[in-house]
């Protein structure tokens, strides 16, 4: 049983270093013998396996996502889906201990940025074809000066993946259909990111302490309940790379391994709606909405998208 490695995955491996391609081939040999070697993900047929960077020369620690068998593939087939660094491209885990920012690995930076951009372009292509109202809500991309202004205002380095997303689209306009991300969240603009982050940091200074954390400087808001409603949403932890949930009740927990994982799960659900394990994609007046809705509107019926 051969393991299929798409050309774009091989290209990303070359960008990461000579040792990455060899390490991936070793993993593929192991998958040929045992395709259930990895850890199952929520979506059917999808698994993730870890490559220990210390085992291979010139290879960082990596998570490899792959598909095995039905319903995504034919019986007995294995295909590598993505290769992603396990460490944040921003501040490393040791930063909290030493107080100094760890230099990012440029190879992982480039990999993360490419993965985010690739997933986002496919999502945007789907919106253009099937949800014109949501597509019309997209703002133009942010300039390098605008991204630098966010970093200066927040006092933290924005990870490369989020920068790549903002270069493509700097949030959405406040119109119908703007909340098209998973769980019907809206991509925040750089200005709203700055405003919300500063509000939360003021709350931390006023009401938080070492035992009760309201907000950390390294938490960068990404998407919220609505364009003008920030009662809950997702933030990117620049220290860990995780995408985490926030609510106005000070609830905080990781929801996705990374921004890449979040966008790829949305991309997978749009490509194969029947395989989505949570909310399903649907359309309301030309806008993407994840449902079925708890309170259907008879004047604006939700129609599930079946492909």
């Amino acid at each position: 049983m051969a393991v299929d490695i798409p050309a774009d995955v091989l290209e990303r491996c070359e960008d990461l270093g000579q040792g990455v391609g060899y390490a991936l081939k070793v993993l593929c040999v192991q998958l040929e013998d045992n395709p259930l070697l990895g850890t199952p993900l929520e979506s059917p047929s999808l698994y993730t396996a870890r490559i220990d960077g210390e085992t291979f020369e010139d290879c960082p620690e990596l998570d490899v996502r792959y598909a095995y068998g039905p319903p995504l593939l034919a019986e007995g087939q294995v295909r590598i889906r993505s290769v992603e660094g396990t460490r944040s491209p921003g501040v490393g885990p040791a930063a909290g201990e030493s107080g100094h920012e760890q230099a990012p690995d440029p190879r992982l930076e480039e990999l993360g940025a490419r993965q985010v951009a690739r997933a986002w372009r496919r999502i945007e292509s789907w919106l253009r074809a099937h949800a014109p109202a949501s597509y019309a809500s997209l703002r133009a991309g942010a300039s390098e000066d605008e991204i630098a202004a966010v970093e200066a205002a927040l006092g933290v380095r924005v990870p490369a993946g989020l920068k790549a997303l903002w270069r493509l689209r700097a949030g959405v306009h406040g119109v119908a259909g703007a909340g098209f991300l998973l769980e019907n969240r809206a991509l925040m603009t750089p200005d709203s990111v700055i405003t919300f982050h500063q509000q939360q940091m003021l709350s931390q200074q006023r009401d938080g302490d070492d035992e009760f954390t309201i907000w950390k400087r390294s938490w960068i808001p990404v998407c919220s309940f609505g364009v003008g409603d920030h009662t809950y949403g997702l933030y990117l932890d620049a220290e860990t790379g995780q995408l985490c949930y926030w609510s106005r009740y000070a609830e905080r927990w990781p929801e996705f391994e990374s921004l890449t994982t979040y966008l790829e799960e949305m991309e997978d659900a749009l490509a194969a709606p029947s395989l989505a394990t949570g909310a399903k994609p649907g359309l309301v007046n030309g806008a993407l909405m994840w449902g079925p809705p708890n309170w259907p509107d008879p004047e604006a019926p939700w129609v599930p998208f079946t492909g």
Side-chain angles (χ1 to χ4, degrees):
M1 176 180 59
V3 177
D4 178 36
I5 308 177
D8 62 326
V9 174
L10 289 173
E11 181 181 349
R12 289 199 292 273
C13 290
E14 291 178 0
D15 293 336
L16 288 171
Q18 294 180 350
V20 175
Y22 174 74
L24 182 60
K25 290 180 181 179
V26 172
L27 175 63
C28 288
V29 171
Q30 296 173 334
L31 291 176
E32 289 177 5
D33 294 333
N34 180 16
L36 300 178
L37 175 69
T39 301
L41 300 176
E42 290 186 1
S43 299
S45 296
L46 291 180
Y47 301 79
T48 182
R50 174 71 52 89
I51 291 179
D52 184 357
E54 295 183 359
T55 305
F56 302 94
E57 184 178 356
D58 194 24
C59 178
E61 187 176 71
L62 302 168
D63 279 335
V64 178
R65 296 180 71 197
Y66 69 92
Y68 169 57
L72 293 180
L73 302 175
E75 188 71 38
Q77 286 189 333
V78 178
R79 178 177 299 146
I80 304 299
R81 297 289 296 272
S82 66
V83 180
E84 183 176 355
T86 61
R87 299 187 63 178
S88 166
V91 181
E97 300 171 6
S98 64
H100 299 287
E101 189 171 296
Q102 182 173 343
D105 186 329
R107 299 170 302 175
L108 293 184
E109 287 252 287
E110 179 65 19
L111 174 62
R114 286 188 180 188
Q115 290 175 321
V116 166
R118 172 183 171 276
W120 181 263
R121 288 192 179 102
R122 292 191 175 185
I123 291 170
E124 192 167 310
S125 177
W126 189 96
L127 295 176
R128 186 187 302 112
H130 303 289
S134 293
Y135 181 76
S137 73
L138 294 168
R139 291 177 175 268
S143 67
E144 296 302 318
D145 288 343
E146 289 174 316
I147 294 174
V150 175
E151 291 185 312
L154 272 56
V156 66
R157 186 177 181 280
V158 176
L162 184 53
K163 285 183 179 180
L165 176 54
W166 285 346
R167 290 187 185 108
L168 294 171
R169 295 294 181 179
V172 291
H173 297 285
V175 297
F180 59 79
L181 295 176
L182 283 177
E183 301 299 331
N184 299 315
R185 296 177 173 121
L187 183 65
M188 296 173 66
T189 66
D191 285 344
S192 63
V193 167
I194 292 173
T195 299
F196 182 75
H197 186 277
Q198 292 178 339
Q199 290 172 346
Q200 296 305 301
M201 289 303 298
L202 286 175
S203 297
Q204 175 65 35
Q205 295 171 10
R206 184 180 63 247
D207 303 318
D209 53 39
D210 292 339
E211 296 182 359
F212 178 61
T213 302
I214 297 175
W215 204 260
K216 292 184 178 180
R217 189 168 299 279
S218 60
W219 294 354
I220 306 173
V222 175
C223 54
S224 58
F225 176 66
V227 175
D229 189 337
H230 302 150
T231 52
Y232 65 81
L234 297 176
Y235 64 85
L236 181 63
D237 188 336
E239 291 185 355
T240 66
Q242 293 177 315
L243 203 62
C244 307
Y245 172 85
W246 91 73
S247 80
R248 62 179 175 180
Y249 304 109
E251 296 170 310
R252 313 281 189 262
W253 57 70
E255 277 208 357
F256 296 90
E257 182 181 345
S258 66
L259 177 60
T260 299
T261 302
Y262 177 68
L263 295 178
E264 287 183 343
E265 287 196 13
M266 178 175 173
E267 176 192 347
D268 288 342
L270 293 175
S274 62
L275 302 181
T277 56
K280 307 285 187 179
L283 297 171
V284 175
N285 294 332
L288 171 60
M289 176 181 288
W290 298 85
N294 293 326
W295 297 278
D297 184 350
E299 297 184 1
W302 179 82
V303 180
F305 177 78
T306 56

